Structure formats: C-alpha cells, structure tokens
C-alpha cells in the first residue's frame, strides 16, 4: 500500500512559468514532509521541507504548501528554469518514530525553453 | 560531496548467485540506509542501521540482509539474486535523528540480475 503518492509521472512546463508538483499521503501520523530532486546517474538531493505545524515554507524560487486536512502537499517552482528539469520525489516521515522516510513514486519535470 | 561511496557502480549477475553491495562513508554518521529505486515505486527502504551492529528492516527487506561491523561501512547482501531484484540501489547517510534534510545519498548501484 503506497502511503505517499505522486499521481503525475511527468510534467512539462515552459521556462519562466510556474511548475506545480503534487503529492498525497494516507498516513495521518506523518508530521514531516520533504522534497528531493534527482538528476540522472546521481543520488537524490534535499530541496525543501515542511513540518506539520506549518502550512507553507519558502526558499527562494521553491515553496512547499501543506494541507493537512486533505493530506496533500505541493511544490511550487517560480520561475521555472531549464536546470530544474529533474525527477522530484516527495517524502514523509514520523519525527518521533524510526528514522525512516517514505517516498512517493516521483514526478519527472521537464522545463522547455 | 558528502563523502559517501557506493561500489560497484554497475553489476550484472545471474539468478541464484550471491551479491554484495558496499556503502562506505567518511562522515562518521550514525545512520545509514539502503534504498532501491524502481519505476512506478520511487525509492523504497530495504534496511537501515542506527549504529554498529544495529540494524532494522525497511518495507522491502525480503531477500536482503545487511551488516555493519564498523561505522563507515554498510553492506547489502542478496543471498540468492532474483530477477525481481534488478534495480538501482542507493545508500544514504544521516548524522542525527530526524536529520532528513541532511540525508545524503550515494550515486547508486545499477544491478541487473539475468
């Protein structure tokens, strides 16, 4: 049973526009959420995170929104740049539990010039 | 780079043979993890370690074993490889509990089981 789901396998956005990547989760015990970015032939790298006590966290061009009632989070990238083309993974954890992250399936983002 | 090395980077093996993947870190981090990445599944945790000789299972641990005899090395063993274990394997390290922002991944091992 997939506890963290990214229902869009791919997304194509024009350079300069907003990219919105979505993620849903089913386990209400999750209290920490992260986004990782992955380029081909490399390991994932941390991008941005949010605690369940917040509904928004911003870091430069990246903003993560959390809607706990809907068990939904989204990553906004504004403006999108060609270097943003990568696979993005949503992940969730229970901070006081075992130190384990649960990942979504990933969304491949392509930024078109 | 976070000082994490996976070896080998690529391996092709036959069904039924044993395979060991190695993760080596130079960061002296306490937590080490093995994930596998498959299309449609994202990254799934196989096993993790929270100290020397301290390990625990992840969500897809069947068919895998791990060992951590020293801080810097975390070994993943497939006792008898199957075609379903063809995947990209990532090792990750973290310095402290809840330190997911500081979860550093290696570059991965592409394993093909024929």
């Amino acid at each position: 049973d997939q506890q963290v789901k990214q229902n869009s396998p791919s997304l194509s956005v024009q350079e300069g526009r907003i990219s919105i990547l979505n993620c849903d989760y089913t386990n209400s015990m999750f209290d920490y959420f992260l986004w990782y970015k992955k380029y081909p032939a490399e390991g994932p790298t941390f991008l941005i995170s949010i605690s369940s006590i917040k509904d928004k966290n911003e870091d430069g061009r990246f903003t993560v929104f959390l809607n706990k009632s809907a068990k939904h989070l989204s990553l906004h990238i504004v403006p999108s740049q060609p270097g943003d083309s990568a696979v993005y993974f949503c992940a969730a954890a229970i901070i006081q539990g075992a130190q384990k992250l649960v990942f979504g399936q990933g969304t491949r983002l392509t930024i078109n010039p | 780079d976070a000082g994490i090395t996976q070896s080998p980077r690529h391996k092709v093996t036959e069904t039924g043979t044993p395979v060991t993947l190695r993760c080596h870190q130079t960061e002296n981090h306490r937590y080490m993890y093995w994930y596998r990445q498959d299309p449609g599944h994202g990254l799934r945790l196989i096993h993790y370690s929270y100290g020397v000789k301290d390990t625990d299972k992840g969500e897809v641990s069947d068919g895998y074993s791990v060992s951590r005899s020293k801080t810097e090395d975390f070994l993943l063993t497939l006792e008898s490889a199957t075609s379903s274990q063809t995947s990209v394997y990532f090792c990750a390290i973290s310095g402290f509990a809840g330190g997911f922002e500081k979860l550093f991944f290696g570059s991965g091992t592409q394993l093909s089981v024929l």
Side-chain angles (χ1 to χ4, degrees), chain A residues 29-92:
Chain A
M29 296 296 291
F30 288 140
D31 54 9
Y32 209 78
F33 304 88
L34 306 93
W35 286 92
Y36 284 80
K37 178 178 180 179
K38 184 184 179 305
Y39 292 117
E42 296 182 9
T45 55
F46 168 73
L47 187 59
I48 193 169
S49 62
I50 188 167
S51 164
S52 61
I53 62 173
K54 296 185 176 181
D55 55 18
K56 176 183 174 181
N57 189 28
E58 196 171 350
D59 183 2
R61 296 185 298 113
F62 303 92
T63 303
V64 57
F65 295 91
L66 176 63
N67 182 334
K68 290 186 291 294
S69 61
K71 294 189 179 67
H72 177 83
L73 63 156
S74 61
L75 174 69
H76 293 211
I77 307 173
V78 182
S80 301
Q81 299 175 354
D84 296 330
S85 294
V87 176
Y88 289 78
F89 291 100
C90 168

Side-chain angles (χ1 to χ4, degrees), chain A residues 2 32 34 36 38 41-44 46 49 89 93 95 98-101 103-105, chain B residues 9 31 33 35 37 40-43 45 48 57 90 97-98 100-101 103 105-107:
Chain A
Q2 192 92 22
Y32 209 78
L34 306 93
Y36 284 80
K38 184 184 179 305
E42 296 182 9
F46 168 73
S49 62
F89 291 100
I95 286 297
Q99 299 306 305
K100 297 188 284 190
L101 273 179
F103 285 84
Q105 305 97 311
Chain B
R9 290 296 311 277
Y31 294 91
Y33 306 81
Y35 286 89
Q37 183 194 0
H41 292 279
L43 289 150
L45 182 66
Y48 72 106
K57 295 179 179 180
F90 288 99
F100 300 113
E101 287 87 345
L103 187 67
F105 284 83
S107 298

Side-chain angles (χ1 to χ4, degrees), chain B residues 36-52:
Chain B
R36 59 179 289 176
Q37 183 194 0
D38 304 289
H41 292 279
L43 289 150
R44 292 179 293 175
L45 182 66
I46 305 170
H47 282 280
Y48 72 106
S49 170
Y50 45 95
V52 173

